[in-house]
Amino acid sequence: MADAALATSPQAQWLHWQQVAGQAGQASRGQVFFTQKHGGEWSCASCHGQPPTQPSRHASTGKTIAPLAPAFHAERFTDSAKVDKWFKRNCKDVLSRECTALEKADVMAYLIGLK
């Protein structure tokens, strides 16, 4: 279990990023964002699969990655420090920059909607 000071939930993360963005995250935008390459070699789906409901493999290292959708992996998005770390790292890999708050809210809306 995550440290109580860092504990969160997928819904809390979604609400947080919507508040920071000043608008609601949309699953449809999140799905498009997740599958696009954004001018680079990879999309989010390159490593997390499409849909991200099954184990997958990192596109470069081949390392196994647990399902990203919270309904398929209960520990996803339950530790704020890990959420921040992985959003920062993965956005830089895919976009060559950090994701905006709205991009994070959209991706969270998409991932939470997967059942």
Side-chain angles (χ1 to χ4, degrees):
M1 178 79 179
D3 181 292
L6 300 175
T8 190
S9 70
Q11 291 74 17
Q13 287 291 313
W14 183 41
L15 289 173
H16 167 75
W17 293 116
Q18 290 180 102
Q19 289 172 342
V20 173
Q23 61 182 306
Q26 294 182 0
S28 59
R29 282 194 315 242
Q31 182 177 13
V32 169
F33 181 91
F34 193 87
T35 58
Q36 286 184 341
K37 290 191 177 180
H38 306 275
E41 290 182 45
W42 296 347
S43 67
C44 302
S46 296
C47 295
H48 291 288
Q50 181 54 21
T53 58
Q54 299 294 318
S56 55
R57 295 203 177 274
H58 189 276
S60 177
T61 67
K63 179 181 174 186
T64 299
I65 300 173
L68 188 60
F72 296 85
H73 186 74
E75 293 179 23
R76 287 292 189 198
F77 306 103
T78 59
D79 181 318
S80 292
K82 285 184 180 181
V83 172
D84 291 343
K85 168 188 162 184
W86 287 108
F87 258 133
K88 185 174 185 176
R89 184 179 294 177
N90 291 341
C91 290
K92 285 188 176 186
D93 284 346
V94 171
L95 300 169
S96 299
R97 64 169 171 82
E98 290 191 37
C99 289
T100 67
L102 184 57
E103 289 166 340
K104 292 175 187 179
D106 289 345
V107 169
M108 290 301 306
Y110 167 60
L111 295 174
I112 289 169
L114 294 171
K115 306 289 183 202

Coordinates of all heavy atoms in Angstrom, one line a residue, residues 1-97:
M1 N 0.9 -1.2 0.0 CA 0.0 0.0 0.0 C 0.9 1.2 0.0 O 1.9 1.3 0.6 CB -0.9 0.0 1.2 CG -1.8 1.2 1.4 SD -3.2 1.0 0.3 CE -4.1 2.4 0.7
A2 N 0.5 2.3 -0.7 CA 1.2 3.5 -0.8 C 1.3 4.2 0.6 O 0.4 4.0 1.4 CB 0.6 4.4 -1.8
D3 N 2.3 4.9 0.9 CA 2.4 5.7 2.1 C 1.2 6.6 2.1 O 0.8 7.2 1.1 CB 3.7 6.6 2.0 CG 4.0 7.4 3.2 OD1 3.2 8.4 3.3 OD2 4.9 7.2 3.9
A4 N 0.7 6.8 3.3 CA -0.6 7.6 3.5 C -0.4 9.0 3.0 O -1.4 9.6 2.4 CB -1.0 7.6 5.0
A5 N 0.7 9.6 3.1 CA 0.9 11.0 2.7 C 0.9 11.1 1.1 O 0.7 12.1 0.6 CB 2.3 11.5 3.2
L6 N 1.2 10.0 0.5 CA 1.3 10.0 -1.0 C 0.1 9.2 -1.6 O 0.0 9.2 -2.8 CB 2.6 9.3 -1.4 CG 3.9 10.0 -1.0 CD1 5.1 9.1 -1.4 CD2 4.0 11.4 -1.5
A7 N -0.8 8.6 -0.8 CA -1.9 7.8 -1.3 C -2.8 8.7 -2.1 O -3.1 9.8 -1.8 CB -2.6 7.1 -0.1
T8 N -3.3 8.1 -3.1 CA -4.3 8.7 -4.0 C -5.1 7.7 -4.7 O -5.1 6.5 -4.3 CB -3.5 9.6 -5.1 OG1 -4.5 10.4 -5.8 CG2 -2.7 8.8 -6.1
S9 N -5.9 8.0 -5.6 CA -6.7 7.1 -6.4 C -6.8 7.6 -7.8 O -6.5 8.8 -8.1 CB -8.2 7.0 -5.8 OG -8.8 8.2 -6.1
P10 N -7.2 6.7 -8.8 CA -7.3 7.2 -10.1 C -8.3 8.4 -10.3 O -8.0 9.4 -10.9 CB -7.8 6.0 -10.9 CG -7.3 4.8 -10.1 CD -7.4 5.3 -8.7
Q11 N -9.4 8.3 -9.5 CA -10.4 9.4 -9.6 C -9.8 10.7 -9.0 O -10.1 11.8 -9.5 CB -11.7 9.0 -8.9 CG -12.4 7.9 -9.6 CD -11.8 6.5 -9.5 OE1 -11.0 6.2 -8.6 NE2 -12.2 5.6 -10.3
A12 N -9.1 10.6 -7.9 CA -8.5 11.8 -7.3 C -7.5 12.4 -8.3 O -7.4 13.6 -8.4 CB -7.8 11.4 -6.0
Q13 N -6.7 11.6 -9.0 CA -5.7 12.1 -10.0 C -6.5 12.8 -11.1 O -6.1 13.9 -11.5 CB -4.9 11.0 -10.5 CG -3.8 10.4 -9.6 CD -2.8 11.5 -9.3 OE1 -2.2 12.1 -10.2 NE2 -2.4 11.7 -8.0
W14 N -7.6 12.2 -11.6 CA -8.3 12.8 -12.6 C -8.9 14.1 -12.2 O -8.8 15.1 -12.9 CB -9.5 11.8 -13.0 CG -10.3 12.3 -14.2 CD1 -9.9 12.9 -15.3 CD2 -11.7 12.2 -14.3 NE1 -11.0 13.2 -16.1 CE2 -12.1 12.7 -15.5 CE3 -12.7 11.6 -13.5 CZ2 -13.4 12.7 -16.0 CZ3 -14.0 11.6 -13.9 CH2 -14.3 12.2 -15.2
L15 N -9.5 14.2 -11.0 CA -10.0 15.5 -10.5 C -8.9 16.5 -10.3 O -9.1 17.7 -10.6 CB -10.7 15.2 -9.1 CG -12.0 14.5 -9.2 CD1 -12.5 14.1 -7.8 CD2 -13.1 15.2 -10.0
H16 N -7.8 16.1 -9.8 CA -6.6 17.0 -9.6 C -6.2 17.7 -10.9 O -6.1 18.9 -11.0 CB -5.5 16.3 -9.0 CG -4.2 17.1 -9.0 ND1 -3.9 18.2 -8.2 CD2 -3.1 17.0 -9.8 CE1 -2.8 18.7 -8.5 NE2 -2.2 17.9 -9.5
W17 N -6.0 16.8 -11.9 CA -5.6 17.4 -13.2 C -6.6 18.2 -13.9 O -6.3 19.2 -14.6 CB -5.0 16.3 -14.1 CG -3.8 15.7 -13.5 CD1 -3.6 14.4 -13.1 CD2 -2.6 16.4 -13.3 NE1 -2.3 14.3 -12.6 CE2 -1.7 15.5 -12.7 CE3 -2.1 17.7 -13.5 CZ2 -0.4 15.9 -12.3 CZ3 -0.8 18.1 -13.1 CH2 0.0 17.1 -12.5
Q18 N -7.9 17.9 -13.7 CA -9.0 18.8 -14.2 C -9.0 20.1 -13.5 O -9.1 21.2 -14.2 CB -10.4 18.1 -14.0 CG -10.5 16.9 -14.9 CD -11.9 16.3 -14.7 OE1 -12.8 16.5 -15.5 NE2 -12.1 15.5 -13.6
Q19 N -8.8 20.1 -12.2 CA -8.7 21.4 -11.5 C -7.6 22.2 -11.9 O -7.7 23.4 -12.1 CB -8.7 21.1 -10.0 CG -9.9 20.6 -9.4 CD -9.8 20.1 -8.0 OE1 -8.7 19.9 -7.5 NE2 -10.9 20.0 -7.3
V20 N -6.4 21.6 -12.1 CA -5.2 22.4 -12.5 C -5.4 22.9 -14.0 O -5.1 24.1 -14.2 CB -3.9 21.5 -12.5 CG1 -2.8 22.2 -13.1 CG2 -3.6 21.1 -11.0
A21 N -6.1 22.1 -14.8 CA -6.3 22.5 -16.2 C -7.4 23.6 -16.3 O -7.5 24.3 -17.3 CB -6.7 21.3 -17.1
G22 N -8.3 23.6 -15.3 CA -9.5 24.5 -15.4 C -10.6 24.0 -16.3 O -11.4 24.8 -16.7
Q23 N -10.5 22.8 -16.7 CA -11.6 22.2 -17.5 C -11.6 20.7 -17.4 O -10.6 20.1 -16.9 CB -11.4 22.6 -19.0 CG -10.2 22.2 -19.7 CD -10.1 22.7 -21.1 OE1 -11.0 22.5 -21.9 NE2 -9.1 23.4 -21.5
A24 N -12.7 20.1 -17.8 CA -12.9 18.7 -17.7 C -12.0 17.9 -18.7 O -11.9 18.3 -19.8 CB -14.4 18.3 -17.9
G25 N -11.5 16.8 -18.2 CA -10.8 15.8 -19.0 C -11.8 15.0 -19.8 O -12.9 14.7 -19.3
Q26 N -11.5 14.7 -21.1 CA -12.4 14.0 -21.9 C -11.8 12.7 -22.4 O -10.7 12.7 -22.9 CB -12.8 14.8 -23.1 CG -13.7 16.0 -22.8 CD -14.1 16.8 -24.0 OE1 -13.8 16.4 -25.1 NE2 -14.8 17.9 -23.8
A27 N -12.5 11.6 -22.2 CA -12.0 10.3 -22.6 C -11.7 10.2 -24.1 O -10.7 9.6 -24.5 CB -13.0 9.2 -22.2
S28 N -12.5 10.8 -24.9 CA -12.3 10.7 -26.3 C -11.0 11.4 -26.7 O -10.2 10.8 -27.6 CB -13.5 11.3 -27.1 OG -13.7 12.7 -26.8
R29 N -10.7 12.5 -26.2 CA -9.4 13.2 -26.4 C -8.3 12.4 -25.9 O -7.2 12.3 -26.5 CB -9.4 14.6 -25.8 CG -10.1 15.6 -26.6 CD -9.8 17.0 -26.1 NE -9.7 17.2 -24.6 CZ -10.5 18.0 -23.9 NH1 -11.4 18.7 -24.6 NH2 -10.4 18.1 -22.6
G30 N -8.5 11.8 -24.7 CA -7.5 10.9 -24.1 C -7.1 9.7 -24.9 O -5.9 9.4 -25.0
Q31 N -8.1 9.1 -25.5 CA -7.8 7.9 -26.4 C -7.0 8.4 -27.6 O -6.0 7.7 -28.0 CB -9.1 7.3 -26.8 CG -8.9 6.0 -27.7 CD -10.1 5.3 -28.0 OE1 -11.2 5.9 -27.9 NE2 -10.0 4.1 -28.5
V32 N -7.3 9.5 -28.2 CA -6.6 10.0 -29.4 C -5.2 10.3 -29.0 O -4.2 9.9 -29.6 CB -7.3 11.2 -30.0 CG1 -6.4 11.9 -31.0 CG2 -8.6 10.8 -30.6
F33 N -5.0 11.0 -27.9 CA -3.7 11.4 -27.4 C -2.9 10.1 -27.1 O -1.7 10.0 -27.5 CB -3.8 12.2 -26.1 CG -2.5 12.6 -25.5 CD1 -1.9 13.8 -25.9 CD2 -1.8 11.8 -24.6 CE1 -0.7 14.2 -25.3 CE2 -0.6 12.2 -24.1 CZ 0.0 13.4 -24.5
F34 N -3.5 9.1 -26.5 CA -2.8 7.9 -26.1 C -2.2 7.1 -27.3 O -1.2 6.5 -27.2 CB -3.8 7.0 -25.3 CG -3.1 5.8 -24.6 CD1 -2.6 6.0 -23.3 CD2 -3.1 4.6 -25.2 CE1 -2.0 4.9 -22.7 CE2 -2.5 3.5 -24.5 CZ -2.0 3.7 -23.3
T35 N -3.0 7.2 -28.4 CA -2.6 6.4 -29.6 C -1.7 7.1 -30.6 O -1.1 6.5 -31.5 CB -3.8 5.8 -30.3 OG1 -4.7 6.9 -30.7 CG2 -4.6 4.9 -29.4
Q36 N -1.7 8.4 -30.5 CA -0.9 9.2 -31.5 C 0.6 9.2 -31.1 O 1.0 9.1 -30.0 CB -1.3 10.7 -31.5 CG -2.6 10.9 -32.2 CD -3.0 12.3 -32.3 OE1 -2.5 13.2 -31.6 NE2 -3.9 12.6 -33.2
K37 N 1.5 9.3 -32.2 CA 2.9 9.4 -32.0 C 3.4 10.8 -31.7 O 4.6 10.9 -31.3 CB 3.6 8.7 -33.1 CG 3.4 7.2 -33.1 CD 4.3 6.5 -34.1 CE 4.1 5.0 -34.0 NZ 5.0 4.3 -35.0
H38 N 2.6 11.8 -32.0 CA 3.0 13.2 -31.7 C 4.3 13.6 -32.4 O 5.1 14.3 -31.8 CB 3.1 13.4 -30.2 CG 1.8 13.1 -29.5 ND1 0.8 13.9 -29.4 CD2 1.5 11.9 -28.9 CE1 -0.2 13.3 -28.7 NE2 0.2 12.1 -28.4
G39 N 4.6 13.0 -33.5 CA 5.8 13.4 -34.3 C 7.1 12.6 -33.9 O 8.1 12.7 -34.5
G40 N 7.0 11.7 -32.9 CA 8.1 10.9 -32.5 C 8.0 9.5 -32.9 O 7.1 9.1 -33.7
E41 N 8.8 8.7 -32.3 CA 8.8 7.2 -32.6 C 7.7 6.5 -31.9 O 7.3 5.4 -32.4 CB 10.2 6.6 -32.2 CG 11.3 7.0 -33.1 CD 12.6 6.3 -32.7 OE1 12.6 5.1 -32.4 OE2 13.6 7.0 -32.6
W42 N 7.4 6.9 -30.7 CA 6.5 6.2 -29.8 C 5.2 7.0 -29.5 O 5.2 8.2 -29.5 CB 7.1 5.9 -28.5 CG 8.3 5.0 -28.5 CD1 8.8 4.3 -29.6 CD2 9.2 4.8 -27.5 NE1 9.9 3.6 -29.2 CE2 10.2 3.9 -27.9 CE3 9.3 5.3 -26.2 CZ2 11.3 3.5 -27.1 CZ3 10.4 4.9 -25.4 CH2 11.3 4.0 -25.9
S43 N 4.2 6.2 -29.2 CA 2.9 6.7 -28.6 C 2.9 6.1 -27.2 O 3.7 5.2 -26.9 CB 1.7 6.3 -29.4 OG 1.5 4.9 -29.4
C44 N 1.9 6.5 -26.4 CA 1.7 5.8 -25.1 C 1.4 4.3 -25.4 O 1.9 3.4 -24.7 CB 0.6 6.4 -24.4 SG 0.7 8.2 -24.0
A45 N 0.6 4.1 -26.4 CA 0.2 2.7 -26.7 C 1.4 1.8 -27.2 O 1.3 0.6 -27.1 CB -0.8 2.7 -27.8
S46 N 2.5 2.4 -27.6 CA 3.7 1.6 -28.1 C 4.2 0.7 -27.0 O 4.6 -0.4 -27.2 CB 4.8 2.6 -28.5 OG 4.5 3.3 -29.6
C47 N 4.1 1.2 -25.7 CA 4.5 0.4 -24.6 C 3.4 -0.2 -23.8 O 3.5 -1.3 -23.2 CB 5.4 1.2 -23.7 SG 7.0 1.7 -24.5
H48 N 2.3 0.6 -23.7 CA 1.2 0.1 -22.8 C 0.1 -0.7 -23.5 O -0.8 -1.2 -22.8 CB 0.6 1.4 -22.1 CG 1.5 2.0 -21.1 ND1 1.8 1.4 -19.9 CD2 2.2 3.2 -21.2 CE1 2.7 2.2 -19.3 NE2 2.9 3.3 -20.0
G49 N 0.2 -0.8 -24.8 CA -0.8 -1.6 -25.6 C -2.0 -0.7 -25.9 O -2.3 0.3 -25.3
Q50 N -2.8 -1.3 -26.8 CA -4.1 -0.6 -27.1 C -5.2 -1.7 -27.3 O -5.0 -2.4 -28.3 CB -3.9 0.3 -28.4 CG -5.2 1.0 -28.8 CD -5.8 1.9 -27.7 OE1 -5.1 2.2 -26.8 NE2 -7.0 2.2 -27.9
P51 N -6.1 -1.7 -26.5 CA -6.3 -0.9 -25.3 C -5.3 -1.4 -24.2 O -4.9 -2.5 -24.2 CB -7.7 -1.1 -24.9 CG -8.1 -2.5 -25.3 CD -7.3 -2.7 -26.6
P52 N -5.0 -0.5 -23.2 CA -4.0 -0.8 -22.2 C -4.6 -1.6 -21.0 O -4.6 -1.2 -19.9 CB -3.5 0.6 -21.7 CG -4.7 1.5 -21.9 CD -5.4 0.9 -23.2
T53 N -5.3 -2.7 -21.4 CA -6.0 -3.5 -20.4 C -5.3 -4.9 -20.1 O -5.8 -5.6 -19.3 CB -7.4 -3.8 -20.8 OG1 -7.4 -4.4 -22.1 CG2 -8.2 -2.5 -20.9
Q54 N -4.2 -5.1 -20.8 CA -3.5 -6.4 -20.7 C -2.0 -6.1 -20.4 O -1.6 -5.0 -20.7 CB -3.6 -7.2 -22.0 CG -5.0 -7.6 -22.3 CD -5.6 -8.6 -21.3 OE1 -5.0 -9.5 -20.9 NE2 -6.9 -8.3 -21.0
P55 N -1.3 -7.0 -19.8 CA 0.2 -6.8 -19.7 C 0.7 -6.5 -21.1 O 0.3 -7.1 -22.1 CB 0.7 -8.1 -19.1 CG -0.5 -8.7 -18.5 CD -1.7 -8.3 -19.3
S56 N 1.8 -5.7 -21.2 CA 2.4 -5.4 -22.4 C 3.9 -5.3 -22.2 O 4.4 -5.6 -21.1 CB 1.9 -4.0 -23.0 OG 2.1 -3.0 -22.0
R57 N 4.7 -4.9 -23.2 CA 6.1 -4.8 -23.1 C 6.6 -3.5 -23.6 O 6.1 -2.9 -24.5 CB 6.8 -5.9 -24.0 CG 6.4 -7.3 -23.5 CD 7.5 -8.3 -23.9 NE 7.2 -9.6 -23.4 CZ 7.6 -10.0 -22.2 NH1 8.3 -9.2 -21.4 NH2 7.3 -11.2 -21.8
H58 N 7.6 -3.0 -22.9 CA 8.3 -1.7 -23.2 C 8.8 -1.8 -24.6 O 9.5 -2.8 -25.0 CB 9.4 -1.4 -22.2 CG 9.9 0.0 -22.4 ND1 10.9 0.3 -23.3 CD2 9.6 1.2 -21.8 CE1 11.2 1.6 -23.3 NE2 10.4 2.1 -22.4
A59 N 8.6 -0.9 -25.5 CA 9.0 -0.9 -26.9 C 10.5 -1.0 -27.1 O 10.9 -1.6 -28.1 CB 8.5 0.3 -27.6
S60 N 11.3 -0.5 -26.2 CA 12.7 -0.5 -26.3 C 13.4 -1.6 -25.5 O 14.2 -2.4 -26.0 CB 13.3 0.9 -25.9 OG 14.7 0.8 -26.0
T61 N 13.0 -1.8 -24.3 CA 13.7 -2.7 -23.4 C 13.1 -4.1 -23.4 O 13.7 -5.1 -22.9 CB 13.7 -2.2 -21.9 OG1 12.4 -2.2 -21.4 CG2 14.3 -0.8 -21.8
G62 N 11.8 -4.2 -23.8 CA 11.1 -5.5 -23.7 C 10.6 -5.8 -22.3 O 10.0 -6.9 -22.1
K63 N 10.8 -5.0 -21.3 CA 10.4 -5.2 -20.0 C 8.9 -5.3 -19.9 O 8.2 -4.5 -20.5 CB 10.9 -4.1 -19.1 CG 10.4 -4.2 -17.6 CD 10.9 -3.1 -16.8 CE 10.4 -3.2 -15.4 NZ 10.7 -2.1 -14.5
T64 N 8.3 -6.3 -19.2 CA 6.9 -6.4 -19.0 C 6.3 -5.3 -18.2 O 6.9 -4.8 -17.2 CB 6.6 -7.7 -18.3 OG1 7.1 -8.8 -19.0 CG2 5.1 -7.9 -18.0
I65 N 5.2 -4.8 -18.7 CA 4.5 -3.7 -18.1 C 3.1 -4.1 -17.7 O 2.4 -4.7 -18.6 CB 4.4 -2.4 -19.0 CG1 5.8 -1.9 -19.4 CG2 3.6 -1.3 -18.4 CD1 5.8 -0.9 -20.4
A66 N 2.7 -4.0 -16.5 CA 1.4 -4.4 -16.0 C 0.3 -3.5 -16.7 O 0.7 -2.4 -17.2 CB 1.2 -4.2 -14.5
P67 N -0.9 -4.0 -16.8 CA -2.0 -3.2 -17.5 C -2.0 -1.7 -16.9 O -1.8 -1.6 -15.7 CB -3.2 -3.9 -17.2 CG -2.8 -5.3 -17.0 CD -1.5 -5.2 -16.3
L68 N -2.2 -0.8 -17.7 CA -2.3 0.6 -17.3 C -3.6 1.0 -16.8 O -3.8 1.8 -15.9 CB -1.8 1.6 -18.4 CG -1.6 3.0 -18.1 CD1 -0.5 3.2 -17.0 CD2 -1.2 3.8 -19.3
A69 N -4.7 0.5 -17.4 CA -6.0 0.8 -17.0 C -6.3 0.4 -15.5 O -6.1 -0.8 -15.2 CB -7.0 0.2 -17.9
P70 N -6.7 1.3 -14.7 CA -6.9 1.0 -13.2 C -7.9 -0.2 -13.0 O -7.7 -1.0 -12.1 CB -7.5 2.3 -12.6 CG -7.1 3.3 -13.6 CD -7.0 2.7 -14.9
A71 N -8.9 -0.4 -13.8 CA -9.8 -1.5 -13.6 C -9.1 -2.9 -13.8 O -9.6 -3.9 -13.3 CB -11.0 -1.4 -14.6
F72 N -8.0 -2.9 -14.5 CA -7.3 -4.1 -14.8 C -6.0 -4.3 -13.9 O -5.3 -5.3 -14.0 CB -7.0 -4.2 -16.2 CG -8.2 -4.3 -17.1 CD1 -8.9 -3.1 -17.5 CD2 -8.8 -5.5 -17.5 CE1 -10.0 -3.1 -18.2 CE2 -9.9 -5.5 -18.2 CZ -10.6 -4.3 -18.6
H73 N -5.7 -3.3 -13.2 CA -4.5 -3.3 -12.3 C -4.8 -2.3 -11.1 O -4.6 -1.1 -11.3 CB -3.2 -2.9 -13.1 CG -2.0 -3.1 -12.3 ND1 -1.4 -4.3 -12.0 CD2 -1.2 -2.2 -11.7 CE1 -0.3 -4.2 -11.2 NE2 -0.1 -2.9 -11.1
A74 N -5.2 -2.8 -10.0 CA -5.8 -2.0 -8.9 C -4.7 -1.0 -8.4 O -5.1 0.0 -7.8 CB -6.3 -2.8 -7.8
E75 N -3.4 -1.3 -8.5 CA -2.4 -0.4 -7.9 C -2.1 0.8 -8.8 O -1.5 1.8 -8.3 CB -1.1 -1.2 -7.7 CG -1.3 -2.2 -6.6 CD 0.0 -3.0 -6.4 OE1 1.1 -2.5 -6.7 OE2 -0.1 -4.1 -5.8
R76 N -2.6 0.9 -10.0 CA -2.4 2.0 -10.9 C -2.9 3.3 -10.3 O -4.1 3.3 -9.8 CB -2.9 1.8 -12.2 CG -2.2 0.8 -13.1 CD -0.8 1.3 -13.5 NE -0.2 0.4 -14.4 CZ 1.0 0.4 -14.7 NH1 1.9 1.2 -14.1 NH2 1.5 -0.5 -15.6
F77 N -2.1 4.3 -10.3 CA -2.5 5.7 -9.9 C -2.9 5.8 -8.4 O -3.8 6.5 -8.1 CB -3.6 6.2 -10.8 CG -3.2 6.1 -12.3 CD1 -3.7 5.1 -13.1 CD2 -2.3 7.0 -12.8 CE1 -3.4 5.0 -14.4 CE2 -2.0 7.0 -14.1 CZ -2.5 6.0 -14.9
T78 N -2.3 5.0 -7.5 CA -2.6 5.0 -6.1 C -1.5 5.6 -5.3 O -1.6 5.7 -4.1 CB -2.9 3.6 -5.6 OG1 -1.8 2.7 -5.8 CG2 -4.1 3.0 -6.2
D79 N -0.4 6.1 -5.9 CA 0.7 6.7 -5.2 C 1.1 8.0 -6.0 O 1.6 7.9 -7.2 CB 1.9 5.7 -5.2 CG 3.2 6.2 -4.5 OD1 3.5 7.4 -4.7 OD2 3.8 5.5 -3.8
S80 N 0.9 9.1 -5.4 CA 1.1 10.4 -6.1 C 2.5 10.6 -6.6 O 2.7 11.1 -7.7 CB 0.7 11.6 -5.2 OG -0.6 11.6 -4.9
A81 N 3.5 10.2 -5.9 CA 4.9 10.3 -6.3 C 5.1 9.5 -7.5 O 5.8 10.0 -8.5 CB 5.8 9.9 -5.2
K82 N 4.6 8.3 -7.6 CA 4.8 7.4 -8.8 C 4.1 8.0 -10.0 O 4.6 8.0 -11.1 CB 4.4 6.0 -8.5 CG 5.3 5.2 -7.6 CD 4.9 3.8 -7.5 CE 5.8 3.0 -6.6 NZ 5.4 1.6 -6.5
V83 N 2.9 8.5 -9.8 CA 2.1 9.1 -10.8 C 2.9 10.2 -11.5 O 3.0 10.3 -12.7 CB 0.7 9.5 -10.4 CG1 0.0 10.3 -11.4 CG2 -0.2 8.3 -9.9
D84 N 3.3 11.1 -10.6 CA 4.1 12.3 -11.1 C 5.4 11.8 -11.8 O 5.7 12.3 -12.9 CB 4.5 13.2 -10.0 CG 3.2 13.9 -9.4 OD1 2.2 14.0 -10.1 OD2 3.3 14.4 -8.3
K85 N 6.1 10.9 -11.3 CA 7.3 10.4 -11.9 C 7.1 9.8 -13.3 O 7.8 10.2 -14.2 CB 8.0 9.3 -11.0 CG 9.1 8.5 -11.6 CD 9.5 7.4 -10.7 CE 10.3 6.3 -11.5 NZ 10.6 5.2 -10.6
W86 N 6.1 8.9 -13.4 CA 5.8 8.3 -14.6 C 5.2 9.2 -15.7 O 5.5 9.0 -16.9 CB 5.1 7.0 -14.4 CG 5.9 5.9 -13.8 CD1 5.9 5.5 -12.5 CD2 7.1 5.3 -14.4 NE1 6.9 4.6 -12.3 CE2 7.6 4.4 -13.4 CE3 7.6 5.3 -15.7 CZ2 8.8 3.6 -13.7 CZ3 8.8 4.5 -15.9 CH2 9.3 3.7 -14.9
F87 N 4.3 10.1 -15.3 CA 3.8 11.0 -16.2 C 4.9 11.9 -16.8 O 5.0 12.1 -18.0 CB 2.7 12.0 -15.6 CG 1.3 11.6 -15.9 CD1 0.4 11.6 -14.9 CD2 0.9 11.4 -17.2 CE1 -1.0 11.3 -15.2 CE2 -0.4 11.1 -17.5 CZ -1.4 11.0 -16.5
K88 N 5.8 12.3 -15.9 CA 6.9 13.2 -16.4 C 7.8 12.4 -17.3 O 8.2 12.9 -18.4 CB 7.7 13.6 -15.2 CG 8.8 14.6 -15.5 CD 9.5 15.2 -14.3 CE 10.5 16.2 -14.6 NZ 11.1 16.8 -13.4
R89 N 8.2 11.2 -17.0 CA 9.2 10.4 -17.8 C 8.5 10.0 -19.1 O 9.1 10.1 -20.2 CB 9.6 9.2 -17.0 CG 10.6 8.3 -17.8 CD 11.1 7.1 -17.0 NE 11.8 7.5 -15.8 CZ 12.3 6.7 -14.9 NH1 12.0 5.4 -15.0 NH2 12.9 7.2 -13.8
N90 N 7.3 9.5 -19.0 CA 6.7 9.0 -20.3 C 6.3 10.1 -21.2 O 6.4 9.9 -22.4 CB 5.5 8.1 -19.9 CG 5.9 6.8 -19.3 OD1 7.0 6.3 -19.4 ND2 4.9 6.1 -18.6
C91 N 5.8 11.2 -20.7 CA 5.5 12.3 -21.6 C 6.7 12.8 -22.3 O 6.7 13.1 -23.5 CB 4.8 13.5 -20.8 SG 3.2 13.0 -20.2
K92 N 7.8 12.9 -21.6 CA 9.1 13.3 -22.2 C 9.5 12.3 -23.3 O 10.0 12.7 -24.4 CB 10.2 13.5 -21.2 CG 10.0 14.8 -20.4 CD 11.1 15.2 -19.5 CE 10.9 16.5 -18.9 NZ 12.1 17.0 -18.1
D93 N 9.3 11.0 -23.1 CA 9.6 10.0 -24.1 C 8.7 10.2 -25.3 O 9.2 10.0 -26.5 CB 9.4 8.6 -23.5 CG 10.6 8.2 -22.6 OD1 11.6 8.8 -22.6 OD2 10.4 7.2 -21.9
V94 N 7.4 10.4 -25.1 CA 6.5 10.5 -26.2 C 6.4 11.8 -26.9 O 6.4 12.0 -28.1 CB 5.1 10.1 -25.7 CG1 4.0 10.3 -26.8 CG2 5.1 8.6 -25.3
L95 N 6.5 12.9 -26.1 CA 6.3 14.3 -26.6 C 7.6 15.1 -26.6 O 7.5 16.2 -27.2 CB 5.3 15.0 -25.7 CG 3.9 14.4 -25.5 CD1 3.2 15.2 -24.4 CD2 3.2 14.6 -26.8
S96 N 8.6 14.7 -26.0 CA 9.8 15.5 -25.8 C 9.6 16.7 -25.0 O 10.2 17.7 -25.1 CB 10.4 15.9 -27.2 OG 10.8 14.7 -27.9
R97 N 8.5 16.6 -24.1 CA 8.2 17.7 -23.2 C 7.3 17.0 -22.1 O 6.8 15.9 -22.3 CB 7.5 18.8 -23.8 CG 6.1 18.4 -24.4 CD 5.3 19.7 -24.9 NE 4.1 19.3 -25.6 CZ 3.0 18.9 -25.1 NH1 2.8 18.8 -23.8 NH2 1.9 18.6 -25.9

